[in-house]
Amino acid sequence: MTRNLNNLLDRSNDIFKKTELEFVMNDIAEIAHYLWNRGWAERNAGNFSMDVTGFFNEKEREHFSLYPFFPLTIAYPSLAHKLLLISGTGTRMRDVAKNPSEYICYVYINDSGSAFHIIGTTPGENTVKPTSELATHLAIQQMLVQRNSSEKVVLHAHVTELIALTQLSAFKTEMAINSLLWGMHPETILFVPDGVGFIPYTLPGTDHIAMATIRGLGKHKAIVWEKHGCMAIGNTLADAFDTLDILAKSAKIYFMCKSAGLDPEGLTQGQLNEIRCFHHSVSDTEPAAGI
Ligand code: 2HA
Ligand code: ZN
């Protein structure tokens, strides 16, 4: 028994030492630091997941099914045999920034998608458990697999400026919140042309919010959970963070004008159309120079 446990721990150390993960760990450290500094990750707020299946070959993945097993209340069949790096429950982003590998775990999904194995570096109670928003991370990761998407990362953060917007009845629809966000700064329509999804208040940490998020995500790169926070997807954690940063900038400009006792004018529909057309004519992927 002890020998088996030691073997597993040796293997899990190998997993944590994978060189392909070095870039990912640096990305996590940098973005966790930004989240904490922005005030978007108070106490244990915020969490993230990454599909890192591609970093391991089939032979290495065979061992993952030996680790402790946890059933899920909903099955995610498209995630069968996927390995996800997930932030730990109760962990503080300011601690993650200092030493990411201590505050994350790896979750290996079983062959039917109905359970997962946790691969941690320490046995028993010290093993890091996945975030309380696991259901939403799994639901979004499954959607990305089904879409064959290049996006492998999901980030949740308590973006103060966007949460504040959802406290105002005027912005509780997708159309209203996106019109406002696009109108406050040209970068927003340029980098978030599909806008955000809006999810009316739902109890956090539940299968219910996970399903509502999937329905609301549609073609959006980010969604806003009313009175709670945001979820963004990206190729890297930095990419997901940048989307939230741009959206937060727009919301901040709105509140700065309001704090000065003034109503912001917003970009006109003509100006927004011009940015969309100019961007499309220059490139489908790269932002136009000078904007
Ligand atoms: O990670 O943000 O929504 C803690 C949370 C829960
Ligand atoms: Zn949250």
Side-chain angles (χ1 to χ4, degrees):
M1 174 67 191
T2 315
R3 213 171 128 237
N4 281 348
L5 188 60
N6 284 339
N7 283 346
L8 283 184
L9 289 176
D10 281 351
R11 285 205 187 108
S12 71
N13 280 328
D14 286 346
I15 292 170
F16 277 74
K17 277 190 241 144
K18 263 264 169 189
T19 46
E20 288 88 338
L21 288 168
E22 228 169 86
F23 167 80
V24 166
M25 289 303 158
N26 290 339
D27 193 29
I28 293 174
E30 185 183 15
I31 300 309
H33 175 74
Y34 292 154
L35 291 169
W36 165 250
N37 270 326
R38 287 278 201 287
W40 297 350
E42 72 287 353
R43 199 173 186 278
N44 62 317
N47 38 71
F48 52 83
S49 66
M50 283 174 215
D51 183 346
V52 293
T53 316
F55 294 0
F56 296 84
N57 62 39
E58 223 170 288
K59 202 161 172 358
E60 288 170 312
R61 291 202 295 260
E62 266 171 27
H63 302 300
F64 301 159
S65 49
L66 300 171
Y67 287 84
F69 182 75
F70 300 85
L72 287 161
T73 49
I74 287 184
Y76 301 89
S78 303
L79 288 182
H81 303 297
K82 293 284 178 195
L83 184 72
L84 305 175
L85 180 164
I86 302 197
S87 56
T89 185
T91 56
R92 290 168 164 82
M93 286 297 165
R94 61 177 187 260
D95 295 330
V96 177
K98 284 184 231 148
N99 190 3
S101 60
E102 225 181 278
Y103 300 99
I104 54 142
C105 60
Y106 294 90
V107 156
Y108 184 59
I109 312 290
N110 72 344
D111 44 13
S112 63
S114 63
F116 62 90
H117 302 267
I118 296 183
I119 299 155
T121 41
T122 46
E125 281 181 37
N126 292 332
T127 300
V128 175
K129 300 273 189 332
T131 167
S132 59
E133 301 294 1
L134 180 66
T136 300
H137 283 274
L138 294 178
I140 299 177
Q141 290 287 358
Q142 168 160 273
M143 188 199 76
L144 296 175
V145 168
Q146 288 166 348
R147 285 182 184 172
N148 204 14
S149 172
S150 64
E151 283 142 338
K152 306 276 181 217
V153 170
V154 178
L155 170 65
H156 168 60
H158 293 179
V159 182
T160 322
E161 297 86 341
L162 294 170
I163 299 168
L165 270 189
T166 72
Q167 290 283 351
L168 307 178
S169 53
F171 303 119
K172 285 181 201 273
T173 66
E174 226 156 86
M175 205 206 269
I177 197 166
N178 284 314
S179 298
L180 179 90
L181 293 169
W182 286 328
M184 290 299 104
H185 199 275
E187 301 274 311
T188 310
I189 200 155
L190 192 62
F191 288 99
V192 198
D194 297 320
V196 297
F198 176 80
I199 314 294
Y201 183 81
T202 309
L203 189 65
T206 58
D207 289 329
H208 191 194
I209 200 166
M211 292 307 122
T213 302
I214 287 303
R215 281 194 298 275
L217 204 55
K219 58 186 178 154
H220 306 297
K221 281 199 290 188
I223 56 99
V224 184
W225 282 346
E226 183 184 349
K227 298 173 187 163
H228 178 160
C230 309
M231 283 272 174
I233 57 176
N235 294 323
T236 62
L237 205 51
D239 194 21
F241 173 86
D242 284 342
T243 299
L244 296 182
D245 201 24
I246 283 168
L247 294 166
K249 175 89 169 194
S250 271
K252 201 167 176 179
I253 294 168
Y254 172 76
F255 284 117
M256 283 183 85
C257 294
K258 290 302 255 185
S259 310
L262 305 165
D263 286 325
E265 280 181 2
L267 293 158
T268 65
Q269 197 53 51
Q271 289 164 337
L272 291 171
N273 291 343
E274 189 184 31
I275 298 168
R276 276 194 196 270
C277 290
F278 184 56
H279 174 49
H280 280 236
S281 69
V282 172
S283 156
D284 273 337
T285 51
E286 288 300 311
I291 296 189

